[in-house]
Amino acid sequence: MSTDAGLADDLATLAGLTAHDASAYLTTVTEVASGSSPDTAIPVLTLALSQILVAGARLGAIQDVLPDERYEADPGADEDADPLRTGLANVFNGIDVYADVVDPLTSGELTEGTVSNDLADVALALTHGLKHFAAGRTAEALWWWQFSYLSAWGDRASSALRVLQSVLSHLRLDADEDDVSEAEFDALHP
């Protein structure tokens, strides 16, 4: 086997893994946006974001992928993300908006972000790559996922994950002292 063939096999494997992770993320986000399981929304999204960030880290760790053609093939119209954004905004009502830093390396400027927009933006970028992948344009899919991870969705996923982790921390650690004492007593004296 030649080095080029091995590289092509490695990229095909990476594309398959990324497509699988992207599909799992989209399934999870769509399910959460439906509002059917509000009690598990935050932990489930924390897991989904962590997993898709692993996929992004794999893309960021490899050399730049170049598409087969000079210009990106048109994968079709972008999905309408408004229903997804609205569903997610309903799930995160009251905790959707957060303070964000524009660029931690070049600017300390603060801006506002929303978890619902971040999650939907990641979904749109992943869907775009999945269209290329489904059409058999593996290099194009990898190029898109890698480029958009480095330029947009990686940052949005990281920001959303940080907010969700903060929410989990507050939910678990900001408990009433009397409730904590009773729970500790019950645990120690069955």
Side-chain angles (χ1 to χ4, degrees), residues 54-73:
V54 168
R58 284 192 302 256
L59 293 166
I62 64 170
Q63 193 170 34
D64 289 348
V65 177
L66 299 175
D68 294 331
E69 301 294 324
R70 181 178 169 105
Y71 300 101
E72 180 185 9

Side-chain angles (χ1 to χ4, degrees), residues 3 10 21 28 38 41 46 50 55 63 84 126 136 142 152 157 173 185:
T3 305
D10 289 347
D21 291 342
T28 300
T46 300
S50 296
Q63 193 170 34
L84 182 64
L126 296 173
L142 280 172
L173 301 177
F185 181 82

Side-chain angles (χ1 to χ4, degrees), residues 82-133:
D82 287 343
L84 182 64
R85 284 182 212 285
T86 301
L88 291 167
N90 288 335
V91 168
F92 290 104
N93 187 26
I95 57 171
D96 197 21
V97 178
Y98 66 91
D100 196 14
V101 176
V102 173
D103 185 324
L105 289 178
T106 63
S107 166
E109 180 185 349
L110 287 178
T111 187
E112 251 183 25
T114 62
V115 176
S116 57
N117 279 333
D118 291 345
L119 296 171
D121 288 347
V122 172
L124 279 176
L126 296 173
T127 299
H128 189 92
L130 280 171
K131 288 180 182 181
H132 286 304
F133 184 79

Side-chain angles (χ1 to χ4, degrees):
M1 172 172 24
S2 75
T3 305
D4 288 344
L7 180 60
D9 289 345
D10 289 347
L11 290 177
T13 299
L14 179 58
L17 286 170
T18 306
H20 177 269
D21 291 342
S23 295
Y25 175 84
L26 294 171
T27 298
T28 300
V29 170
T30 302
E31 176 70 23
V32 168
S34 76
S36 64
S37 302
D39 294 341
T40 61
I42 293 171
V44 166
L45 284 172
T46 300
L47 289 170
L49 281 166
S50 296
Q51 186 61 41
I52 203 60
L53 282 166
V54 168
R58 284 192 302 256
L59 293 166
I62 64 170
Q63 193 170 34
D64 289 348
V65 177
L66 299 175
D68 294 331
E69 301 294 324
R70 181 178 169 105
Y71 300 101
E72 180 185 9
D74 184 2
D78 285 338
E79 302 295 315
D80 180 10
D82 287 343
L84 182 64
R85 284 182 212 285
T86 301
L88 291 167
N90 288 335
V91 168
F92 290 104
N93 187 26
I95 57 171
D96 197 21
V97 178
Y98 66 91
D100 196 14
V101 176
V102 173
D103 185 324
L105 289 178
T106 63
S107 166
E109 180 185 349
L110 287 178
T111 187
E112 251 183 25
T114 62
V115 176
S116 57
N117 279 333
D118 291 345
L119 296 171
D121 288 347
V122 172
L124 279 176
L126 296 173
T127 299
H128 189 92
L130 280 171
K131 288 180 182 181
H132 286 304
F133 184 79
R137 297 186 299 268
T138 304
E140 194 77 34
L142 280 172
W143 170 81
W144 174 258
W145 284 321
Q146 184 183 56
F147 167 75
S148 60
Y149 166 74
L150 295 171
S151 66
W153 74 259
D155 182 56
R156 295 300 83 217
S158 295
S159 293
L161 180 60
R162 177 143 190 218
V163 172
L164 293 181
Q165 190 277 329
S166 180
V167 171
L168 280 174
S169 294
H170 285 292
L171 289 172
R172 302 258 171 89
L173 301 177
D174 293 352
D176 180 63
E177 285 185 36
D178 291 336
D179 292 340
V180 171
S181 294
E182 286 180 33
E184 286 175 351
F185 181 82
D186 291 343
L188 296 172
H189 303 88

